[in-house]
Amino acid sequence: MPGAPNRITIRPDDYHVPYAGTAGDGRKFFLSDELYTADASYVGLFLWTADGAFDSVQVDSLTRPSNVPPGQAAPGVDGDEVVQTRLKQLGKYVLEPIEVAPFLRTVDGVEFGWRFEVFEGTATVNIEPGDFICYYEPWDGYEYDT
């Protein structure tokens, strides 16, 4: 798509991006328990090769808490346990900024990844499903909206 970035930077932080960095095998990763649809929550482990090209996405479907309003990100039931299991799979990892290619993949009928869009003249890359993080140009990962 014209204007879509070839690479974006994802920076770990203490807010919505606690797990981004380099896995023990050299692959880049982003792990989140805040992915969601109207009726399900997910833990998603997104993996890229060492040079930032898409490698794979691993998805765990969880029960969405009943007290969370539609359209709001929230960890699914037992999400912490799944996150810890996925972190162990990464081996000795380092939390650090990563520069990676956006992608979208469908898993069990749900799109996961980074969706490029232009809305009212502003280009964005949104993490899906749930559209809970939205990155903007210059794609350096310092600022995002939730």
Side-chain angles (χ1 to χ4, degrees):
M1 181 174 236
N6 292 326
R7 295 280 195 267
I8 63 169
T9 300
I10 302 169
R11 297 180 182 279
D13 64 24
D14 294 331
Y15 189 42
H16 285 292
V17 188
Y19 302 111
T22 303
D25 64 4
R27 290 184 294 173
K28 307 302 181 191
F29 74 91
F30 170 77
L31 175 65
S32 178
D33 65 352
E34 295 189 85
L35 306 168
Y36 66 94
T37 60
D39 56 356
S41 290
Y42 303 93
V43 171
L45 175 59
F46 302 91
L47 295 162
W48 295 266
T49 60
D51 69 354
F54 171 74
D55 183 36
S56 64
V57 59
Q58 299 171 13
V59 175
D60 296 280
S61 181
L62 305 171
T63 301
R64 186 159 166 78
S66 60
N67 61 342
V68 177
Q72 180 176 325
V77 176
D78 297 324
D80 289 341
E81 182 178 314
V82 175
V83 166
Q84 292 308 311
T85 298
R86 290 293 185 191
L87 286 171
K88 287 178 186 172
Q89 292 174 339
L90 296 172
K92 187 174 180 173
Y93 61 87
V94 176
L95 298 178
E96 62 185 353
I98 56 173
E99 189 173 311
V100 295
F103 70 89
L104 281 173
R105 292 295 182 274
T106 301
V107 177
D108 296 329
V110 178
E111 283 191 322
F112 289 84
W114 277 253
R115 177 185 309 284
F116 175 76
E117 296 179 327
V118 177
F119 180 73
E120 295 181 356
T122 301
T124 63
V125 173
N126 305 297
I127 299 177
E128 300 290 345
D131 189 18
F132 79 100
I133 294 178
C134 178
Y135 289 99
Y136 298 91
E137 290 183 278
W139 317 116
D140 60 8
Y142 281 110
E143 301 266 343
Y144 59 81
D145 281 337
T146 59

